[in-house]
Amino acid sequence: MSTAAGHLVLAFDTATDALAVGIGQRAEGELAALRSLSIVNPRKANSTLLPTISSELDELGYSVDQVCEVVVGRGPGSFTGVRIGVATAKGLAQGLGVGLYGVSTLDAVAWRVLATGDVAEGDLLGVLGDAMRGEVYPALYRVIAGRAVRLTEDRVAKPQEVAAEWAAGLDEPLLLVGNALKKYEDVFVGSLGARQSVAEEGLWSPDGAGLLAAYEDAHSSGTLGDGEPALVLPVYTRLSDAEETERLRLGTGAELPPTGVAGGASAFVHTRPMTPEDIPEIVAIEEATFSDPWSTGIFMSELSAPRRAWVVLEESGIVIGYGGVAALGDDAHVMNLAVESAHRGRGLGRLLLRRLKDLALDLGTKLVTLEVRETNEAAISLYESEGLSIAGVRRRYYSDTGEDALIMWGPAGGDDSATPSPESRYGECAANDSLAARGTEDTLILAIESSCDETAAAVMRGTDGLVANVVASQIDFHARFGGVVPEIASRKHTEAIVGVIEEALDRAGDRLGCEGALPFRELDAIAVTHGPGLVGALVVGLAYAKGLSFATGVPLVGVNHLEGHIFANVLADPEVRPPLVALLVSGGHTSLVHMPRWGEYHTLGETLDDAAGEAFDKVAKVLGLGYPGGPVLSRLAEEGNAEAIDFPRAM
């Protein structure tokens, strides 16, 4: 990475109808905005965001590989718009090997107004984002010591309710700003009367300078996060429609597990010290994870033992993971490290390990040790990427299988003094030293799929060599609704995609003889599903892939989902060759396709309404057989009477 540009920070936001882009440069501890844009850009972010960033960097004489940090607006705002920004930012940051940080879109608007001088010390500022559906995202700020200090949490509400609340509770002047004023200015002016004023319309959306200012304020206050791309998620202020309907149907809500992330800063995944009150949740994760789980009594005794450090991983007030280290002389032993199964694949195990290594250093130790099953390749790869190496073997350590345990160790603490470069995050690959020397049969392709309810990534070599394949399924999240809920699917893709890509590269690196994960620079292309499928789900994978391609310079290829199903047969049988007729049974698509030669398709017939898979799911739902319906109905059909009903023959 060139150092001529100094420390460049790239910031952008796509949560509103305005595309906001900022480029800042840090020098002597101060961050100065070199570029700040706010362009009216309704529903075009997926096609205009990266070209705009590229153009602005070019005008400054910089390239994307000189960016040292990426900042993205997390919303609240348009769900699709927010996810385009967050997914693109994840691809960018992961491809560059730099930190990713999320800031509030509403905070960026407040800091934009603060920079104009329209508000003075002690003044109140009300930001109103358009939440659609006749609702707004309201947030109150007060100017304190030159900062826009947030007074209220993220929420969604009817504009009339917010206006009445502010009119009754505030007896001082209030400056109003935000894109919701385009619809509801009269509501607030009518309620607040002479106590309010309205900022000029040009300030109602975030701009690049506001994003950079919000980022700098969070940086200086220590609330920014650690820069891990997997942990930056959109701000959601409501559940999906399916979950809201479920709450109404059951007459309750608190007991139902929500999907995605709700709320503002409190929704960030973070670690904190373990308390006795956490132990019931921890024991539940422990019992679901390990064959020989610890009891409540053991955890209680560990909390009071000397030279111990225990932490939990928390998201939206729910414990989703935990870990602990015990200091023994100059060494610290990782006793437990576990993440709830529904939250795996998001990089949370890495976050926990890093925290435990830091705690080991705080306990005065120099070395961290742990045991891991010799067959647990994913965990071994994670530990190696975090500086631990295999030091020995404990024979027949695991009582349930008699399996050996590998002893791994590495230095306590971590080096946070520098942002990791792509070269340090993704190791050298010994098996592929020369891209130019590789022929067609050795090309390496990273493929990304997010068309429905599975986040998947694979690395292919040549035309039929599957090197690595990772799938994060969402079945558990959709099962209680009897089918795939598009909004939930999109949220879960945003959470899982970074971890899935990391795991695929880790496995590929291991197969290809790399020192660590397969580096992005070894790829010849990135392939991504661009349709057909669920729009909200597709947009996550596509935006991520675009960001990754832009960051790495690896060419991007869009792939038709259904065409991919036909070509998948070659993986099962390398002898498959055209001409052939393929039966496609996928999601909302069931069809017969004639393929006379590679890449040429003629549809012979297709269903008129629902696909076969959807029919299975709907029948299973009516019969109370659960989701997905295909497997259980197939099993029951084998036990049924084929002559019971005289069905007409389908044409």
Side-chain angles (χ1 to χ4, degrees):
M1 182 179 293
S2 169
T3 58
H7 190 96
L8 280 187
V9 179
L10 170 65
F12 52 87
D13 184 285
T14 58
T16 71
D17 283 346
L19 170 62
V21 175
I23 300 172
Q25 184 178 53
R26 190 181 301 283
E28 298 181 357
E30 296 294 326
L31 182 64
L34 305 180
R35 277 285 195 279
S36 177
L37 303 178
S38 183
I39 307 168
V40 177
N41 188 60
R43 295 178 175 82
K44 296 180 181 178
N46 216 8
S47 59
T48 60
L49 172 58
L50 290 175
T52 300
I53 291 172
S54 180
S55 174
E56 293 304 305
L57 287 170
D58 285 345
E59 287 194 22
L60 290 170
Y62 299 141
S63 59
V64 69
D65 63 353
Q66 292 173 295
V67 171
C68 299
E69 292 175 280
V70 178
V71 178
V72 65
R74 298 173 55 236
S78 157
F79 287 172
T80 300
V82 171
R83 285 195 280 262
I84 288 173
V86 170
T88 304
K90 290 188 175 197
L92 265 171
Q94 197 170 9
L96 294 172
V98 303
L100 174 62
Y101 303 95
V103 298
S104 164
T105 300
L106 303 181
D107 289 359
V109 174
W111 280 94
R112 182 182 188 182
V113 174
L114 184 61
T116 66
D118 291 347
V119 285
E121 185 70 18
D123 284 355
L124 278 177
L125 176 65
V127 180
L128 297 161
D130 185 3
M132 310 302 289
R133 303 186 186 182
E135 295 175 318
V136 297
Y137 301 119
L140 277 175
Y141 300 80
R142 188 180 295 279
V143 181
I144 301 174
R147 298 174 54 230
V149 177
R150 175 82 80 104
L151 304 180
T152 57
E153 294 291 327
D154 284 314
R155 64 183 177 117
V156 64
K158 296 293 183 183
Q160 295 80 4
E161 296 173 5
V162 178
E165 176 187 316
W166 286 1
L170 303 175
D171 57 1
E172 54 189 302
L174 175 68
L175 178 63
L176 298 176
V177 66
N179 62 349
L181 292 173
K182 294 178 182 179
K183 298 178 180 177
Y184 307 115
E185 182 176 354
D186 290 346
V187 172
F188 286 88
V189 170
S191 296
L192 295 168
R195 283 178 291 165
Q196 60 76 39
S197 57
V198 178
E200 62 176 279
E201 187 171 348
L203 301 175
W204 289 3
S205 299
D207 68 350
L211 289 165
L212 291 170
Y215 154 79
E216 188 71 344
D217 183 64
H219 183 274
S220 61
S221 63
T223 60
L224 194 58
D226 69 353
E228 176 60 49
L231 303 184
V232 176
L233 299 172
V235 173
Y236 300 121
T237 53
R238 61 164 68 94
L239 299 174
S240 68
D241 288 347
E243 290 164 312
E244 293 286 5
T245 301
E246 184 183 36
R247 286 189 169 194
L248 291 173
R249 179 174 61 84
L250 298 178
T252 184
E255 297 81 7
L256 298 176
T259 62
V261 177
S266 62
F268 279 114
V269 176
H270 63 280
T271 59
R272 61 168 175 78
M274 184 186 295
T275 69
E277 289 74 25
D278 298 320
I279 289 180
E281 294 174 276
I282 290 163
V283 168
I285 300 173
E286 174 88 1
E287 290 176 344
T289 304
F290 300 111
S291 59
D292 187 17
W294 284 14
S295 65
T296 298
I298 294 176
F299 277 110
M300 288 296 292
S301 64
E302 278 292 323
L303 276 184
S304 59
R307 301 197 72 195
R308 300 287 197 273
W310 287 89
V311 294
V312 297
L313 196 63
E314 189 175 62
E315 181 176 49
S316 301
I318 299 173
V319 174
I320 60 174
Y322 61 94
V325 291
L328 307 167
D330 289 338
D331 300 345
H333 186 69
V334 176
M335 294 177 290
N336 297 66
L337 192 159
V339 175
E340 190 178 33
S341 59
H343 295 277
R344 291 170 192 164
R346 297 171 53 191
L348 302 181
R350 186 182 303 276
L351 176 66
L352 263 177
L353 180 60
R354 289 177 178 177
R355 181 63 182 137
L356 294 178
K357 289 176 66 180
D358 288 339
L359 290 170
L361 195 64
D362 294 341
L363 290 170
T365 63
K366 300 176 182 178
L367 191 72
V368 170
T369 69
L370 54 79
E371 293 99 6
V372 59
R373 289 179 186 266
E374 64 175 354
T375 56
N376 194 344
E377 296 179 0
I380 294 169
S381 178
L382 165 64
Y383 299 151
E384 288 179 336
S385 70
E386 290 298 318
L388 277 68
S389 58
I390 298 171
V393 178
R394 287 186 173 170
R395 300 296 180 190
R396 296 178 293 279
Y397 181 79
Y398 294 98
S399 59
D400 59 331
T401 62
E403 188 177 346
D404 294 344
L406 299 180
I407 302 170
M408 301 186 71
W409 64 29
D415 180 13
D416 298 325
S417 61
T419 301
S421 67
E423 290 75 15
S424 64
R425 181 169 288 191
Y426 304 105
E428 298 293 332
C429 190
N432 302 286
D433 293 328
S434 174
L435 284 174
R438 292 212 302 264
T440 304
E441 69 280 1
D442 289 323
T443 55
L444 288 171
I445 299 171
L446 171 66
I448 301 169
E449 148 66 17
S450 69
S451 64
C452 191
D453 63 338
E454 291 179 334
T455 313
V459 176
M460 292 287 300
R461 180 163 58 182
T463 56
D464 57 4
L466 183 61
V467 179
N469 184 41
V470 177
V471 179
S473 174
Q474 303 175 8
I475 284 180
D476 290 347
F477 296 99
H478 300 283
R480 73 182 196 253
F481 302 106
V484 177
V485 181
E487 171 62 20
I488 293 176
S490 185
R491 295 186 184 197
K492 304 314 291 185
H493 286 308
T494 309
E495 294 177 13
I497 193 161
V498 170
V500 168
I501 299 298
E502 282 190 347
E503 179 68 16
L505 293 175
D506 284 343
R507 294 185 186 182
D510 182 60
R511 287 282 305 278
L512 296 172
C514 301
E515 296 178 4
L518 176 68
F520 287 121
R521 67 176 178 279
E522 293 286 354
L523 298 172
D524 295 287
I526 299 168
V528 63
T529 303
H530 63 68
L534 302 176
V535 174
L538 285 165
V539 78
V540 175
L542 189 58
Y544 171 89
K546 286 183 176 182
L548 182 61
S549 174
F550 181 59
T552 60
V554 178
L556 181 65
V557 180
V559 176
N560 182 286
H561 171 202
L562 302 182
E563 188 176 9
H565 276 292
I566 296 176
F567 275 79
N569 289 279
V570 180
L571 297 176
D573 182 0
E575 299 302 315
V576 170
R577 292 289 184 273
L580 56 82
V581 173
L583 170 62
L584 282 172
V585 186
S586 169
H589 305 86
T590 297
S591 54
L592 277 172
V593 178
H594 176 224
M595 187 173 77
R597 59 189 60 84
W598 294 121
E600 182 178 336
Y601 311 101
H602 304 282
T603 301
L604 303 179
E606 55 189 355
T607 47
L608 298 178
D609 42 39
D610 281 354
E614 291 181 339
F616 273 103
D617 290 339
K618 289 179 179 178
V619 170
K621 184 174 183 179
V622 170
L623 297 176
L625 299 177
Y627 172 83
V632 64
L633 284 174
S634 294
R635 287 194 300 270
L636 291 174
E638 293 177 357
E639 304 168 4
N641 179 6
E643 307 298 326
I645 300 175
D646 185 18
F647 287 108
R649 181 178 177 183
M651 296 300 294

